């Protein structure tokens, strides 16, 4: 008999509920008990936020978006923002309290579902506090090197592709350039996959700084070929050669810093295109639409497989590991290795080749 606790941390992603479902079902199948910690580690700090998860509680959650447990990207117990009596926010280390409660509640293992940030915290608990943890990789950005896929990515790409499909008709009707900013932080996977599938004329990704003149040349070339509209996909982390990286707030801007909000490059690109080509240009930010909604079949299946595989790792006590998709199998990868590097689009990617060969400008 084992007692396990599951938490979801960081930005949500479609498929989180499918992981919870699989963990609850696979653990119950073994006669174990499952609890869910609300909003990351909150349940470890406040028992009212720790909920018993039974098969009845999770019965129909697989196709739903978001997470029934809630999530936060400000919940690192090693550096938790806490309000003091004077109403000021102070950063405190509450990790020891988390660990004490983990032991007091009699848990054997914590299944932490999260992206690089949450998995790094889980690994710290394993190494510094001796917590038994298993990681499950989640992020729409698909930027974890150790797994071929993270769940949430396929849904985000589908949403972005559908948006591009819809923009074609309005762009064409008005002879306009439409610039679409998509998520992905410092990786261009969402932009590249949706841009190729959604018939973009230009795709700009963070891996390579782009030349705005090349982008405008492509738009002018469209005109010469009697195509009077264009679709430009820009990843939120992309930046132009010889220009500052754009993010919010601008003074904290530094590529790779997770706490910085990216965004704004789409508008910048649209302004430059308007100024340099005289084309009527509009920009839009797809934003959190990419994180919402029901997971695609691919993401559901992947999330369910991750959840079941995580429970198998609990059974074999393969702690301080993350489940990873290494086709066709689910493989345990040491967390230390899993969080070491980000997966970015390599220069020799077949997708880049494909994009170029079908006439898409990459701004280089
Ligand atoms: O990591 C997932 C992600 O959606 C990124 O693509 C994006 O930059 C960030 O989270 C947005 O975070 P928030 O939900 O805090 O706005």
């Amino acid at each position: 008999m084992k007692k396990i606790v599951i938490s979801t941390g960081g930005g949500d992603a479609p498929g989180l509920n499918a992981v919870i479902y699989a963990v609850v079902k696979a653990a119950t199948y073994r006669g174990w008990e499952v609890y869910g910690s609300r909003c990351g580690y909150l349940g470890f700090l406040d028992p009212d936020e720790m909920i018993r998860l039974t098969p009845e509680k999770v019965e129909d959650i697989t196709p739903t978006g978001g997470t029934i447990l809630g999530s936060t990207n400000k919940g690192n117990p090693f550096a938790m923002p806490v309000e003091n009596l004077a109403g000021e926010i102070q950063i405190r280390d509450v990790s020891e309290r988390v660990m004490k409660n983990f032991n007091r509640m009699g848990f054997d293992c914590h299944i932490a579902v999260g992206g690089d940030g949450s998995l790094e915290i889980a690994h710290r608990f394993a190494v510094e506090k001796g917590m038994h943890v298993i990681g499950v990789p989640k992020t729409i950005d698909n930027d974890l090197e150790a797994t071929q896929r993270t769940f949430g990515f396929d849904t985000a790409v589908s949403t972005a592709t559908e948006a591009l499909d819809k923009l074609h008709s309005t762009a064409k009707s008005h002879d306009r350039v439409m610039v679409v900013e998509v998520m992905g932080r410092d990786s261009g996977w969402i932009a590249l996959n949706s841009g190729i599938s959604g018939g973009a004329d230009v795709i700009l990704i963070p891996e390579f700084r782009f030349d705005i003149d090349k982008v405008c040349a492509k738009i002018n070339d469209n005109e010469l070929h009697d195509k009077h509209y264009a679709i430009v996909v820009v990843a939120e982390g992309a930046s132009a050669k010889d220009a500052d990286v754009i993010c919010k707030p601008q003074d904290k801007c530094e590529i790779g810093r997770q706490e910085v909000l990216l965004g704004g490059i789409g508008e910048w690109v649209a302004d430059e295109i308007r100024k340099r080509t005289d084309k009527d240009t509009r920009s839009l930010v797809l934003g959190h639409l990419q994180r919402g909604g029901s997971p695609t079949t691919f993401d559901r299946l992947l999330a369910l497989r991750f959840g079941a595989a995580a429970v198998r790792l609990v059974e074999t006590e393969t702690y301080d590991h993350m489940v990873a998709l290494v086709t066709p199998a689910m493989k345990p990868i040491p967390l230390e290795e899993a969080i070491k590097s980000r997966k970015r689009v390599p220069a020799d990617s077949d997708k880049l080749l494909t994009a170029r060969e079908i006439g898409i400008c990459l701004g280089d």
Side-chain angles (χ1 to χ4, degrees), residues 38 51 105 109 161 194 218 238 297 348:
R38 296 235 338 117
I51 49 179
M105 293 180 210
C109 180
T161 305
S194 64
K218 169 69 183 170
T297 309
D348 63 352

Side-chain angles (χ1 to χ4, degrees), residues 2-276:
K2 285 194 192 290
K3 188 171 168 183
I4 56 186
V5 55
I6 179 168
S7 69
T8 53
D12 69 337
L16 280 168
N17 285 334
V19 177
I20 297 169
Y21 177 88
V23 166
V24 172
K25 295 288 279 193
T28 308
Y29 170 75
R30 289 165 168 84
W32 303 349
E33 269 182 11
V34 183
Y35 286 76
S37 171
R38 296 235 338 117
C39 293
Y41 287 82
L42 198 58
F44 293 101
L45 298 168
D46 175 357
D48 288 344
E49 303 292 343
M50 188 62 87
I51 49 179
R52 173 86 167 90
L53 294 173
T54 58
E56 296 71 38
K57 274 232 171 81
V58 299
E59 199 173 63
D60 46 14
I61 64 171
T62 295
T64 61
T67 159
I68 59 161
L69 292 175
S71 194
T72 174
N73 45 18
K74 294 189 180 65
N76 177 1
F78 291 94
M80 183 81 93
V82 183
E83 195 175 326
N84 67 14
L85 291 175
E88 297 153 347
I89 301 291
Q90 289 183 328
I91 302 297
R92 294 226 187 102
D93 182 348
V94 295
S95 58
E96 199 44 47
R97 230 173 95 202
V98 165
M99 194 58 214
K100 267 199 192 127
N101 286 335
F102 175 87
N103 288 328
R104 202 174 46 78
M105 293 180 210
F107 290 124
D108 294 288
C109 180
H110 171 207
I111 297 182
V113 191
D116 51 350
S118 310
L119 296 176
E120 214 172 302
I121 296 166
H123 178 57
R124 258 188 99 173
F125 268 109
V127 173
E128 295 177 26
K129 308 286 172 189
M131 188 186 274
H132 292 160
V133 297
I134 304 289
V136 175
K138 162 244 60 164
T139 164
I140 65 160
D141 305 335
N142 197 36
D143 60 354
L144 288 173
E145 187 71 67
T147 181
Q148 284 165 351
R149 277 296 184 98
T150 54
F151 67 86
F153 172 67
D154 188 65
T155 310
V157 170
S158 297
T159 301
T161 305
E162 200 185 324
L164 297 179
D165 288 347
K166 289 187 174 165
L167 286 172
H168 274 270
S169 56
T170 173
K172 193 171 182 175
S173 304
H174 289 266
D175 286 348
R176 274 179 180 155
V177 177
M178 299 295 305
V179 180
V180 188
E181 182 182 298
V182 297
M183 282 185 169
R185 293 212 70 85
D186 300 325
S187 294
W189 296 109
I190 297 179
L192 193 57
N193 283 28
S194 64
I196 295 173
S197 311
D201 297 277
V202 179
I203 302 173
L204 306 173
I205 59 173
E207 284 79 354
F208 318 102
R209 291 206 151 200
F210 62 86
D211 181 341
I212 192 70
D213 289 327
K214 296 274 168 57
V215 175
C216 295
K218 169 69 183 170
I219 287 157
N220 290 331
D221 190 60
N222 274 3
E223 295 288 330
L224 292 178
H225 290 88
D226 220 19
K227 181 176 177 187
H228 304 291
Y229 74 100
I231 306 288
V232 179
V233 179
V234 194
E236 61 181 1
S239 53
K241 279 181 184 153
D242 312 320
D244 287 336
V245 173
I246 294 175
C247 68
K248 310 165 198 165
Q250 187 62 35
D251 61 338
K252 288 212 181 118
C253 208
E254 189 185 302
I255 273 207
R257 283 190 42 185
Q258 288 300 311
E259 64 269 35
V260 162
L261 271 183
L262 296 173
I265 186 67
E267 205 179 325
W268 185 90
V269 169
D271 284 346
E272 292 302 313
I273 292 174
R274 195 178 300 116
K275 277 191 262 174
R276 293 162 190 245

